[in-house]
Amino acid sequence: MTETQAWDTYSKQKPERRPTNAAGETTWFNWTQYPDHGPGAELLGVGPGATVLDLGCGKGGNLAHVTTLGARAVGVDVSLAQIKAAEARWSDTGMVLHRTEATRFLEESGEHFDAVFSVFGAAWFTDPATLLPAIRRRLRPGGVLAFSHRPPVEGCYGCQASYINRSEDEDPLVVKRWDYEPERWVEILTEHGFTAATARVLPAPPGRRKIGTLLVRAHG
């Protein structure tokens, strides 16, 4: 219940995606915490007829772009508020949304996927020892797993605490996240049977903010 409440609270704090991006597009894919920065959906390597899963889909912006590629787009999020926001904005895209925990969905679903991705989502906030085997069982041979989140703070690795603020008279809500250096992510993915694993930190765009984005990709 605490985790669900935390992400419902986060949903209210996170602004809606812009109507269009800098290029005037109504849908786009963004792996980073910065607008109009970094690579796009080409990292998934999918096209018409593919089936793609977003773990921690939030308000559905990235998943909406996946539908424009001709792929079947499936999203999972534990927050009802996030799912409702996605349905309200992207109901005409044909995306399929499930309100449930990522690992539970992977264990209970009979569907297989050509690509699985997570942008600041479940791949960051779920124990990889539990999540990665579940993903691999649902990923078609040669399929792509890709995820992104903030890089770890130096010296702070493994399970960490993330705090989601509420009102001034309420304590913040706490959720767990898993932080590793890029080299360790490659090792972890390899240990769980993934191949061609890569992990790198994308630098922040020019400006005052300096924290980059950790981007991880592997094949099933």
Side-chain angles (χ1 to χ4, degrees):
M1 283 296 294
T2 300
E3 184 176 338
T4 301
Q5 185 181 10
W7 295 121
D8 282 343
T9 300
Y10 174 80
S11 177
K12 297 173 184 177
Q13 299 169 357
K14 187 173 176 60
E16 298 292 331
R17 179 171 281 208
R18 298 164 292 162
T20 59
N21 64 4
E25 300 162 326
T26 56
T27 68
W28 62 94
F29 202 106
N30 188 12
W31 294 99
T32 82
Q33 63 268 47
Y34 303 107
D36 309 311
H37 174 64
E42 68 274 5
L43 294 185
L44 299 176
V46 298
T51 302
V52 180
L53 174 64
D54 183 357
L55 296 177
C57 63
K59 296 181 180 179
N62 285 327
L63 203 60
H65 185 70
V66 168
T67 67
T68 70
L69 306 177
R72 169 177 161 79
V74 180
V76 173
D77 205 287
V78 73
S79 166
L80 180 60
Q82 296 277 56
I83 292 292
K84 284 185 174 181
E87 290 174 339
R89 180 160 178 180
W90 307 111
S91 61
D92 61 344
T93 64
M95 68 170 68
V96 179
L97 300 174
H98 300 271
R99 185 204 174 194
T100 186
E101 190 269 331
T103 303
R104 176 179 296 178
F105 174 82
L106 290 162
E107 291 174 346
E108 295 178 354
S109 171
E111 194 165 6
H112 288 81
F113 300 92
D114 298 288
V116 177
F117 73 91
S118 177
V119 178
F120 289 65
W124 195 15
F125 295 99
T126 309
D127 186 347
T130 301
L131 183 64
L132 292 180
I135 291 175
R136 192 160 181 268
R137 286 192 293 269
R138 292 296 163 205
L139 195 61
R140 292 193 175 101
V144 171
L145 166 63
F147 58 90
S148 63
H149 54 73
R150 287 188 180 87
V153 175
E154 185 177 356
C156 299
Y157 308 124
C159 185
Q160 305 290 317
S162 284
Y163 297 91
I164 298 176
N165 291 323
R166 296 190 284 177
S167 63
E168 291 184 359
D169 59 348
E170 293 179 294
D171 291 332
L173 295 164
V174 181
V175 294
K176 296 177 181 178
R177 70 177 193 272
W178 277 261
D179 284 340
Y180 297 100
E181 294 179 296
E183 297 81 4
R184 180 58 185 142
W185 268 122
V186 171
E187 293 174 352
I188 291 171
L189 286 160
T190 303
E191 290 166 2
H192 284 91
F194 291 87
T195 64
T198 62
R200 59 193 173 108
V201 175
L202 300 173
R208 298 180 63 181
R209 295 181 64 182
K210 302 302 180 185
I211 297 176
T213 307
L214 179 65
L215 181 59
V216 182
R217 187 176 186 271
H219 288 275

